[in-house]
Amino acid sequence: MKAIKALAVNGLIFLVLLVMLLAAAEAYLRLTIPGSSSESIFEWTLDNSRYKVMKKNTRLIAWGEELRTNDLGFRDDRDTVPAKGEDEYRVIVLGDSFTISGGVPFDKIYSSLLEQRLQRQYANSDVINLAVGGYNPVQYQAVLEEVGLGLDPDLILVGLFWNNDFDRGREATQDLNYRRAAHGVDMPEELSGFRALYVHRAWLWRLEAKYHAWFGDSEPSPAGKRDDSGWLDNLDALRQMAELARARDIPYVVGLLPPNWNYTDHRKRVRRVLDYCEAWQIECIDALEAFITSGLAEPEYRLNLLDSHPNARYHEVVADVLAPRLLDLQAIRRSDAD
């Protein structure tokens, strides 16, 4: 009985200390990580063929930084995209949340950094960010056709986040967003209960994931399953965008943006994309090796402990990789115009 009592006391002390440690960690994270607006930047609507869009003319806070959209519903520091000037050199950038990059100031994301570098060579340069979180190349193509080409670009840049851009095919992508827009099916859930705690979002979710993996008591939702057609449909979308660009004599570049975890494990996956680019004569620029050789660990390129989206340092590397080629293409375009 004494041994059992001692074990119980020690167990209680351990639990109290564990709760105190988690409470201290929770307080630390909440004090050091800036907060975000409770409002979502997205809306699901039947008024647009993509069904999922970003709200127009909206301002909210993402991890302490303003996230602002223009009247087209894309991230911008302007209320509207002005009509293209006679001597303007215009670049449009298609992509997903890694290109929007909520939590990073607008002037420090790679599309803005590229604009700054292009303007050093030709002041009348403009880079327009047309990315939408959660999109894939199938939807990039829709944005290009619905909005991008109408902006009369001189260069089309696709920020391809190949870690998840090939998860779903064309039909599955449209079906998911349609069901959300029409019926609210599979809508993203708000975090609640212990899952809303910062310590869970930073660390404890791994324990929960291992628990479910070990005991097999949960199934992934249909929205989370990868579609086998994802590679074919999204690679084909990259090709169709290239053909649209060639038909209009617009340079078309695909920048391959790596995830900021397990860099070396991704070489095989990115090689598959590069092989496709070579086969279809699509200019693809791989940023992965620049991150591997930078000498910095993957977490140093993440926004914070709760969000693995890129930080400003990540965007600087991407801009360093892409800028030389974009500057060359800009010079060629300006020379042809002259």
Side-chain angles (χ1 to χ4, degrees):
M1 290 297 295
K2 289 183 178 179
I4 294 174
K5 184 176 180 180
L7 183 62
V9 171
N10 289 333
L12 181 60
I13 293 173
F14 172 78
L15 288 176
V16 170
L17 292 175
L18 179 61
V19 170
M20 292 175 63
L21 177 63
L22 291 176
E26 180 75 14
Y28 171 78
L29 291 173
R30 290 188 178 273
L31 286 172
T32 56
I33 297 178
S36 301
S37 302
S38 58
E39 176 189 2
S40 174
I41 194 68
F42 303 109
E43 63 180 354
W44 283 263
T45 174
L46 297 177
D47 295 333
N48 186 288
S49 63
R50 289 174 275 131
Y51 303 122
K52 176 188 177 181
V53 297
M54 294 203 299
K55 297 173 183 176
K56 300 177 180 179
N57 297 124
T58 296
R59 294 173 185 246
L60 52 78
I61 300 299
W63 302 117
E65 296 291 343
E66 182 182 66
L67 178 57
R68 175 182 173 187
T69 60
N70 56 30
D71 59 358
L72 294 175
F74 300 99
R75 190 172 187 188
D76 206 339
D77 60 354
R78 306 169 293 189
D79 292 330
T80 187
V81 177
K84 185 179 179 181
E86 183 178 351
D87 296 322
E88 179 180 336
Y89 181 80
R90 175 169 284 185
V91 179
I92 60 171
V93 184
L94 306 166
D96 63 3
S97 58
F98 262 51
T99 296
I100 297 171
S101 214
V104 179
F106 182 75
D107 64 346
K108 295 185 182 300
I109 62 177
Y110 76 82
S111 57
S112 298
L113 296 176
L114 290 172
E115 179 178 85
Q116 295 162 22
R117 299 185 189 194
L118 290 174
Q119 287 177 347
R120 295 172 194 164
Q121 181 167 283
Y122 182 68
N124 200 15
S125 298
D126 188 17
V127 178
I128 302 171
N129 191 315
L130 298 180
V132 178
Y135 272 22
N136 57 20
V138 165
Q139 293 160 303
Y140 304 164
Q141 181 184 350
V143 173
L144 177 63
E145 294 173 347
E146 295 173 16
V147 181
L149 293 176
L151 296 175
D152 191 18
D154 297 293
L155 187 149
I156 299 168
L157 172 64
V158 177
L160 185 70
F161 183 58
W162 40 262
N163 182 67
N164 62 16
D165 269 358
F166 303 104
D167 286 359
R168 296 188 192 92
R170 189 178 298 273
E171 183 177 344
T173 297
Q174 288 295 93
D175 179 64
L176 173 62
N177 287 328
Y178 174 79
R179 286 187 291 117
R180 285 176 171 175
H183 310 295
V185 177
D186 292 324
M187 291 292 287
E189 296 181 2
E190 293 290 333
L191 294 174
S192 60
F194 71 91
R195 291 188 177 88
L197 294 174
Y198 278 24
V199 288
H200 181 273
R201 296 165 65 183
W203 300 298
L204 298 184
W205 66 269
R206 294 179 175 87
L207 296 178
E208 184 183 7
K210 286 185 179 297
Y211 171 85
H212 291 305
W214 288 338
F215 293 96
D217 62 343
S218 65
E219 292 291 334
S221 67
K225 292 181 179 178
R226 293 191 173 186
D227 187 341
D228 291 340
S229 67
W231 275 94
L232 295 176
D233 286 351
N234 286 291
L235 286 173
D236 190 57
L238 290 178
R239 178 186 62 80
Q240 290 187 50
M241 286 189 285
E243 291 178 352
L244 286 170
R246 288 182 189 130
R248 292 163 175 78
D249 194 27
I250 304 172
Y252 173 80
V253 176
V254 177
L256 305 182
L257 311 181
N260 44 16
W261 58 87
N262 300 332
Y263 286 140
T264 55
D265 293 342
H266 291 293
R267 280 191 169 121
K268 184 176 180 180
R269 191 174 176 90
V270 75
R271 184 68 255 170
R272 182 177 181 184
V273 182
L274 289 169
D275 288 345
Y276 179 89
C277 292
E278 183 177 355
W280 286 99
Q281 296 182 324
I282 296 173
E283 182 169 3
C284 292
I285 301 175
D286 178 22
L288 177 61
E289 294 304 320
F291 283 90
I292 293 175
T293 59
S294 71
L296 297 179
E298 289 93 332
E300 296 188 63
Y301 290 112
R302 297 174 192 166
L303 197 55
N304 55 52
L305 285 169
L306 309 186
D307 194 326
S308 60
H309 280 88
N311 58 20
R313 182 178 288 168
Y314 178 103
H315 286 274
E316 290 175 2
V317 176
V318 171
D320 288 342
V321 172
L322 297 179
R325 181 54 178 156
L326 265 61
L327 287 166
D328 287 344
L329 291 170
Q330 181 196 51
I332 293 171
R333 193 77 166 185
R334 294 301 309 160
S335 177
D336 292 343
D338 293 339

